[in-house]
Amino acid sequence: MDRIIREEARLIILRALAEQDDEQLNSELLRVTLETFGISRMRAWVHGELAYLAEMGAVTVTEAGSVRVAQLTELGARHLARNVAIEGVKRPSRPEA
Amino acid sequence: MARHAGRGRLSAIEQLPEEAEPIVAWAMQELRARKHTQVDICEEFNKRLVGLAADMGTEIEPISLSSFNRYAIRLAASARRLEETRAIASALTERLGPDQADDLTVMVAETIKTLVFELLEGDGDITPKGTMELARALHSAVSAQSVSSDRRRKVEAEFAKKAEDAVDKVAEARGLTAETVEAIKAKILGVSQ
């Protein structure tokens, strides 16, 4: 159960980053983004997921006081394009024909 | 839509057991995909809840359509503000080249985004808390010994300029008074100086 939510949340995070012009977003706005998908968690939980994504090489993280800023990496973008599959991150669904 | 002080009463959906969270997340995704009607999604949602309750050996009251609708509207409003934030901020935070993406530039961009989001969300009485946190972090990073005085001046000027532009853009979108605009600027820029 927890695993499903985490994998889902990680995909939502990568997508949210990709939607930004500069492909980066801070953890507070990511927390709000997750909330709009029915996943209400504390900022600390978001930081945990960012740490996982950074560990897997999908994002890089910059500390900014009590907030963290995540930046999408090439590998993260490739996961979104379905070119690679990062473990622990839900795969984006296939585009519909 | 009237907004309540505090966190307000928990909605029926928020009172569901933790195990129901994947079902809630599924329903919100379905609503966003806009491929099925809300009535259909709510029906399927309740079906899944029945299945979950059976698995857990308990009972879960079905969620009424109006309650489901209230929850969906609240989340959609939040999603819309994020979308507006993205649109406004994209004009102010150009895409960074790999060479310019140093920590300070990154922090300036994020402080602006948070500022725009909080201004859009605020109800007249504006207290941009997250912005303050970020502005303070930016300020302490800029004051660090390792930053040259030249770079320091540049980042501070860049932040001040972008913050003013951001406030003006939001003021335009939300019809804020000149007085409010000045008050916000004084508050934001007061932190960074």
Side-chain angles (χ1 to χ4, degrees):
Chain A
M1 192 312 275
D2 189 52
R3 186 181 59 83
I4 298 172
I5 287 291
R6 283 179 191 276
E7 293 186 353
E8 182 90 52
R10 290 166 189 157
L11 175 61
I12 293 170
I13 289 173
L14 292 186
R15 278 203 174 124
L17 298 181
E19 277 171 13
Q20 300 291 317
D21 276 21
D22 51 11
E23 297 191 331
Q24 68 176 38
L25 206 54
N26 65 71
S27 49
E28 179 54 21
L29 292 184
L30 286 171
R31 189 189 65 72
V32 180
T33 304
L34 287 168
E35 222 168 54
T36 70
F37 283 90
I39 303 176
S40 302
R41 291 293 152 92
M42 312 282 273
R43 200 190 287 167
W45 188 88
V46 178
H47 288 173
E49 298 317 305
L50 290 182
Y52 178 87
L53 288 168
E55 174 86 2
M56 301 306 279
V59 302
T60 57
V61 176
T62 307
E63 298 252 356
S66 54
V67 172
R68 282 175 210 173
V69 181
Q71 170 99 45
L72 192 67
T73 63
E74 179 64 31
L75 186 69
R78 282 166 59 80
H79 178 86
L80 289 175
R82 291 182 59 90
N83 290 330
V84 293
I86 299 173
E87 203 196 311
V89 187
K90 187 179 168 187
R91 291 204 84 185
S93 45
R94 276 199 194 84
E96 279 164 52
Chain B
M1 198 173 74
R3 258 203 269 184
H4 306 281
R7 80 197 217 293
R9 206 161 70 103
L10 285 177
S11 76
I13 291 182
E14 283 164 339
Q15 291 176 59
L16 288 170
E18 201 187 319
E19 287 81 358
E21 201 174 23
I23 303 179
V24 177
W26 165 84
M28 295 310 124
Q29 298 240 20
E30 282 297 300
L31 285 172
R32 288 214 172 181
R34 305 174 68 95
K35 270 185 260 160
H36 303 282
T37 67
Q38 187 168 310
V39 177
D40 288 347
I41 297 168
C42 183
E43 199 177 302
E44 170 68 23
F45 178 76
N46 278 319
K47 254 189 228 158
R48 291 186 182 210
L49 281 185
V50 170
L52 174 72
D55 287 348
M56 290 170 64
T58 56
E59 271 185 41
I60 298 177
E61 284 281 309
I63 301 295
S64 71
L65 187 57
S66 59
S67 184
F68 187 78
N69 181 50
R70 271 195 303 276
Y71 187 74
I73 286 179
R74 213 182 66 206
L75 297 198
S78 201
R80 228 179 356 258
R81 271 194 296 278
L82 282 166
E83 182 47 37
E84 269 183 280
T85 299
R86 198 194 56 70
I88 292 177
S90 76
L92 300 166
T93 58
E94 320 79 66
R95 201 189 168 95
L96 304 166
D99 50 325
Q100 332 164 247
D102 67 289
D103 289 3
L104 294 179
T105 319
V106 163
M107 284 160 82
V108 169
E110 288 314 301
T111 311
I112 299 303
K113 285 182 202 170
T114 307
L115 174 63
V116 171
F117 178 76
E118 291 189 340
L119 292 180
L120 287 172
E121 198 173 48
D123 255 356
D125 195 22
I126 288 158
T127 50
K129 187 168 159 285
T131 308
M132 294 299 186
E133 279 178 35
L134 274 159
R136 253 180 233 122
L138 174 67
H139 183 54
S140 53
V142 169
S143 321
Q145 299 276 317
S146 56
V147 182
S148 74
S149 59
D150 199 35
R151 176 91 181 102
R152 193 178 308 176
R153 263 195 303 277
K154 242 176 154 171
V155 171
E156 271 166 359
E158 184 192 6
F159 174 68
K161 166 102 182 41
K162 287 192 170 167
E164 292 206 11
D165 288 350
V167 175
D168 289 337
K169 288 223 172 198
V170 176
E172 215 177 288
R174 286 214 29 208
L176 299 178
T177 65
E179 214 175 300
T180 312
V181 170
E182 285 319 307
I184 298 168
K185 283 185 186 172
K187 215 166 165 184
I188 303 300
L189 299 175
V191 176
S192 69
Q193 274 151 17

